[in-house]
Each structure stands twice: as structure tokens, then as C-alpha cells.
Amino acid sequence: MTPPSLDQLIQDPAKAAILPPEIAQMLLIGLASIQPLLVQRALMGPSDKAVEEDLLTIDQVAARLKLSQYRAYELCRQGELKAIRLGKSVRVKPSDLHAYVAQHGG
């Protein structure tokens, strides 16, 4: 069975009720992975530029600072590194990362 597209499910939500469980799970995981970005984009409004493309993940921040993910999260949690929360996700603007590095002798 070819899974219905998101457009098809939106047009006919009853199709979701007859999906096999593994397809429903696959669709839910896919939607959950993009939900924070969709929320961010929806809240930005039309005048904002595509900042979401520039945001760094904690993995990227940790790699650039040569730190563990835990330490990168801690820097954000403590407010030492300015971060943006999108649901459970944490993102950092490159400019905020550069400011942090400059402030700490980088």
C-alpha cells in the first residue's frame, strides 16, 4: 500500500483511520520531526527572512566549540550562550555563537 500524501490526508482525514499502524507511525515521526520548524516559520510572519535555515543545532554548536552536547546544552540553559527554544528543540543563531566565542577569547 502506498501511503497517502499529507495533502490527501488533509483533504480526507477519514483516510488516516484506515492506515496500517506502521504507516501511521512513520507519518507521525515525520510530522514530529518538522513540527518545530513549522511552528517557528508560522510565528515569524511574512516580513522575516529565512532565518530558520541559519539556525544551528546543539550538535553543530558542540562540534564548533569542540564541546560535548551536554556542555553545549548547559551553556544555553545557563544563559551564557543565547538560544532559541522550539518546543523541545534548542537552536542557536550563528551570530550568537560568534558573539559567545568573541566574548570568551576565541
Side-chain angles (χ1 to χ4, degrees):
M1 170 184 187
T2 302
S5 69
L6 187 55
D7 286 336
Q8 291 169 331
L9 289 173
I10 290 170
Q11 290 173 1
D12 186 4
K15 289 182 179 182
I18 59 171
L19 289 174
E22 59 276 0
I23 303 245
Q25 184 180 22
M26 177 190 67
L27 287 170
L28 277 173
I29 290 169
L31 286 171
S33 69
I34 64 169
Q35 181 186 11
L37 294 174
L38 291 173
V39 169
Q40 177 193 11
R41 187 63 202 134
L43 295 176
M44 289 176 78
S47 64
D48 293 322
K49 301 216 185 271
V51 173
E52 67 273 14
E53 295 175 13
D54 295 333
L55 296 177
L56 302 171
T57 65
I58 287 296
D59 288 342
Q60 293 169 319
V61 170
R64 291 181 188 193
L65 294 177
K66 295 184 172 89
L67 299 172
S68 68
Q69 285 182 355
Y70 176 82
R71 182 67 181 128
Y73 274 117
E74 281 297 297
L75 289 173
C76 295
R77 186 186 66 77
Q78 295 168 353
E80 292 183 48
L81 176 58
K82 188 174 175 185
I84 299 167
R85 295 212 35 106
L86 302 169
K88 291 184 177 182
S89 299
V90 177
R91 299 290 185 263
V92 176
K93 291 180 183 178
S95 59
D96 292 332
L97 180 60
H98 295 306
Y100 173 82
V101 170
Q103 182 181 4
H104 291 84

